[in-house]
Amino acid sequence: MAAETLLLLGGTGEARRLAGMLDPVDGLRTVSSLAGRVGKPVLPVGEVRVGGFGGVDGLVAWMREENVRLVVDATHPFAAGMSASVAEAAGIVAVPWVVLRRPGWTERDGDRWQWVGDMAEAARVVGTLGGRVFLTTGRQSIGAFAGLDGLWFLARSVDAPEGALPRRLEVVLDRGPFSVTGEIELMRRHAIDVLVTKDSGGAMTAAKLDAACELGVPVVVVRRPPVPAGAEVVETVEAAARWVRSRLPG
Ligand code: NAP
């Protein structure tokens, strides 16, 4: 019997773990998909394809060509464009699809968080909270803070940012996981007095929140975009693996 093909949209640690968990599973061929944004990505085990599909039409064509029978959207919670494409394409091809989305972060006693709706709002409010900003929102978001010449920025990203950038900017290239002591040291060294983050959730990058709490530094937290309407959502890699296994024949 031919193996069922699972398209696993990735770019997250959860997607890599899921690929590992499903390799090998009898009767299943898993293809992990990466956008190709990161220069030296940490690759999942098994079959991998890299690069955009070319919108919904391209994704539908690819799914048909590869005879995809199941889809797991394990992209980052802020990869809203890809998630919308997956939802639409899975509907057109009529294959079951699930969104694997880790829970967001929640505020605890001692935290000083200000929630905002998007990066533009983060840029509008950040100067009211501090003057030395630690930007941890990823290189594609740094441009939203260009033109804020009264503020000084430390931006951390995996690859170097490009395009319009804040004038007073220092970039540190690094990827998680990070430790609380390391984050405290970094924030103290640069006299950071406000942190900006997406509500990415997960343990890999949560240490900065503990560090900010410890140092009494306020945090601007950008809310997640909603998951596509009608999506079935699971929060853990284990639940996603069960979802896949339960849909395999036999
Ligand atoms: P996005 O804005 O939702 O996606 C833009 C376009 O990039 C998509 O329409 C698609 O192009 C392509 N793309 C995105 N994810 C893809 C994937 N897994 N496989 C193939 N093509 C993909 O996405 P993004 O926010 O730029 O994120 C890009 C990748 O980085 C995702 O895989 C995501 O999981 C990962 N990531 C994102 C963040 C973040 O903060 N946004 C953080 C960590 C990791 P086509 O329309 O041509 O198919």
Side-chain angles (χ1 to χ4, degrees), residues 135-153:
L135 274 185
T136 62
T137 47
R139 68 170 171 155
Q140 292 179 84
S141 318
I142 299 173
F145 299 84
L148 297 177
D149 292 343
L151 307 179
W152 181 90
F153 292 90

Side-chain angles (χ1 to χ4, degrees), residues 11-14 16 76-78 102-106 108 111 113 134-139 156-158 172-184 186-187 195-213 219-222 224:
T12 59
E14 285 85 352
R16 280 194 299 278
H76 188 271
F78 280 78
R102 63 178 94 116
W105 288 314
T106 43
R108 297 148 307 170
D111 282 331
W113 291 8
F134 185 18
L135 274 185
T136 62
T137 47
R139 68 170 171 155
R156 181 169 62 201
S157 55
V158 176
V172 45
L173 300 181
D174 206 352
R175 81 170 98 207
F178 302 105
S179 71
V180 179
T181 38
E183 297 291 57
I184 289 177
L186 183 70
M187 288 165 72
L195 165 70
V196 184
T197 180
K198 291 172 173 168
D199 178 20
S200 298
M204 284 263 290
T205 57
K208 62 191 170 190
L209 301 171
D210 294 332
C213 184
V219 185
V220 179
V221 187
V222 182
R224 293 174 168 202

Side-chain angles (χ1 to χ4, degrees), residues 51-192:
F53 294 92
V56 175
D57 291 348
L59 180 55
V60 165
W62 193 91
M63 286 168 66
R64 288 194 168 134
E65 209 163 288
E66 297 291 332
N67 199 21
V68 169
R69 303 298 293 271
L70 297 169
V71 180
V72 177
D73 171 5
T75 54
H76 188 271
F78 280 78
M82 191 69 239
S83 289
S85 288
V86 171
E88 203 177 331
I92 293 169
V93 183
V95 293
W97 116 97
V98 71
V99 178
L100 166 55
R101 194 113 316 162
R102 63 178 94 116
W105 288 314
T106 43
E107 220 166 332
R108 297 148 307 170
D109 283 351
D111 282 331
R112 297 172 55 202
W113 291 8
Q114 178 158 345
W115 289 89
V116 295
D118 56 24
M119 216 50 75
E121 192 183 346
R124 281 198 299 278
V125 306
V126 69
T128 66
L129 296 168
R132 294 185 61 86
V133 186
F134 185 18
L135 274 185
T136 62
T137 47
R139 68 170 171 155
Q140 292 179 84
S141 318
I142 299 173
F145 299 84
L148 297 177
D149 292 343
L151 307 179
W152 181 90
F153 292 90
L154 175 69
R156 181 169 62 201
S157 55
V158 176
D159 288 315
E162 294 158 358
L165 298 172
R167 199 165 52 82
R168 300 168 65 211
L169 169 72
E170 186 170 326
V171 175
V172 45
L173 300 181
D174 206 352
R175 81 170 98 207
F178 302 105
S179 71
V180 179
T181 38
E183 297 291 57
I184 289 177
E185 195 278 320
L186 183 70
M187 288 165 72
R188 277 210 176 115
R189 181 151 40 94
H190 293 282
I192 294 300

